[in-house]
Amino acid sequence: MSEPRILPTREGYDRWAANYDTMGNWLLALEEPEVDRALGDVAGLDLLDVGAGTGRHAIRLAEQGARVTAVDFSEEMLAKARKKPGAERVRWMTHDVAEPLPFADRSFPRVLSALVLEHISPALLPRFFGDLGRVATADGRVVVTAMHPAMFLKGISANFHDEEGEIRPRSYVATLADYVMGAIDAGLRIVRLSEHSVDDTLASRYERSRKLLGWPALVVMTLAPSAR
Ligand SMILES: C[S@@+](CC[C@H](N)C(=O)[O-])C[C@H]1O[C@@H](n2cnc3c(N)ncnc32)[C@H](O)[C@@H]1O
């Protein structure tokens, strides 16, 4: 088998956009109910989705009554999102999180960043978490999900296949401590940290996940913007 091709993150997602929603990604299936649990009832709340991609969460959260702003740096992922039913309810913006989020402090009672963390270099994690916390209201919640760093030990990072073979948008190997300390160093309080493994139910729905049975595959962090 040939080696995966590593592309700059944005270019990788511009390519992945074509089949991101249809490839049968077991991690998305594992993650979605955990996001709902962590966010709680979002009806009537301003919600920022950072690294929103094809709008997997943004559109359904808008349908649940949140006023959603969604940012991402991949024009192709956003183009897919904008074409979906319900997309008109969401405010879409192109933005690279290497730059500060273009929003005032304390603007959003809910801030979500789903499956983006592995693409942020560990040195930049405190700045990234700090910016998520800055735009969250003082009594708000920041929910961050990530592929569990244990997956790096299995040689797994975000990947897809096209006619040229396996492609990986650039990811950065990190540890759970990098993620936890990134949040703490940014002055955030960890309200809840949970790890989720591949189980039989998931493996029977997504055969490709069976080789990871029992392995922690997802981490979910619920954060409060400041130590209180
Ligand atoms: C695995 S996808 C997740 C998309 C969506 N949150 C979801 O859960 O389906 C990761 C997303 O992060 C975005 N991303 C990665 N690095 C980024 C950056 N520096 N600035 C903005 N978006 C970024 C990618 O373009 C991609 O859409």
Side-chain angles (χ1 to χ4, degrees), residues 65 100 109-110 153 171 182 217:
R110 293 288 181 278
L153 304 176
S171 295

Side-chain angles (χ1 to χ4, degrees), residues 15 49 62 65 70 91-92 110 120 127 130 132 134 136 142-144 148 152 157 165 172 174 180 187 197 216-217 224:
R15 288 227 204 168
D49 186 355
R91 177 165 66 133
W92 304 100
R110 293 288 181 278
I120 310 293
R127 208 199 58 73
L132 300 183
R134 177 184 66 77
V142 176
V143 173
V144 176
H148 196 290
F152 293 127
S157 64
Y172 298 89
V180 168
S197 301

Side-chain angles (χ1 to χ4, degrees), residues 19-226:
N19 71 346
Y20 183 85
D21 290 317
T22 51
M23 66 181 271
N25 186 332
W26 56 267
L27 184 58
L28 308 188
L30 181 62
E31 189 235 25
E32 198 162 300
E34 301 306 330
V35 166
D36 286 344
R37 240 187 295 278
L39 285 174
D41 182 4
V42 295
L45 298 180
D46 288 305
L47 184 150
L48 175 64
D49 186 355
V50 178
T54 60
R56 180 173 69 98
H57 292 307
I59 292 172
R60 54 183 205 85
L61 293 169
E63 278 162 1
Q64 290 171 27
R67 288 181 296 275
V68 179
T69 301
V71 303
D72 201 286
F73 73 170
S74 163
E75 293 289 0
E76 297 299 327
M77 293 291 273
L78 286 175
K80 281 278 177 191
R82 286 189 176 104
K83 285 191 196 119
K84 290 182 174 173
E88 67 286 351
R89 294 173 196 248
V90 176
R91 177 165 66 133
W92 304 100
M93 292 175 62
T94 305
H95 177 76
D96 182 345
V97 299
E99 300 299 323
L101 290 163
F103 307 108
D105 297 0
R106 307 281 169 250
S107 305
F108 298 94
R110 293 288 181 278
V111 178
L112 169 68
S113 183
L115 305 178
V116 179
L117 219 49
E118 71 176 273
H119 301 299
I120 310 293
S121 98
L124 293 180
L125 284 173
R127 208 199 58 73
F128 177 71
F129 279 110
D131 214 21
L132 300 183
R134 177 184 66 77
V135 298
T137 56
D139 59 353
R141 286 291 178 265
V142 176
V143 173
V144 176
T145 71
M147 192 191 69
H148 196 290
M151 292 292 101
F152 293 127
L153 304 176
K154 300 282 277 178
I156 293 172
S157 64
N159 71 89
F160 66 102
H161 287 78
D162 73 3
E163 61 287 347
E164 290 175 20
E166 183 181 347
I167 297 192
R168 296 190 178 202
R170 177 168 306 285
S171 295
Y172 298 89
V173 172
T175 63
L176 192 53
D178 289 327
Y179 292 166
V180 168
M181 291 313 298
I184 289 175
D185 289 346
L188 301 184
R189 181 167 64 87
I190 298 178
V191 176
R192 188 158 191 273
L193 177 68
S194 58
E195 300 167 279
H196 307 269
S197 301
V198 175
D199 63 10
D200 253 323
T201 312
L202 191 73
S204 56
R205 280 172 65 203
Y206 298 89
E207 205 44 45
R208 279 187 302 133
S209 70
R210 188 168 292 284
K211 62 180 185 298
L212 297 167
L213 211 55
W215 276 75
L218 174 73
V219 58
V220 181
M221 305 172 83
T222 304
L223 307 161
S226 57

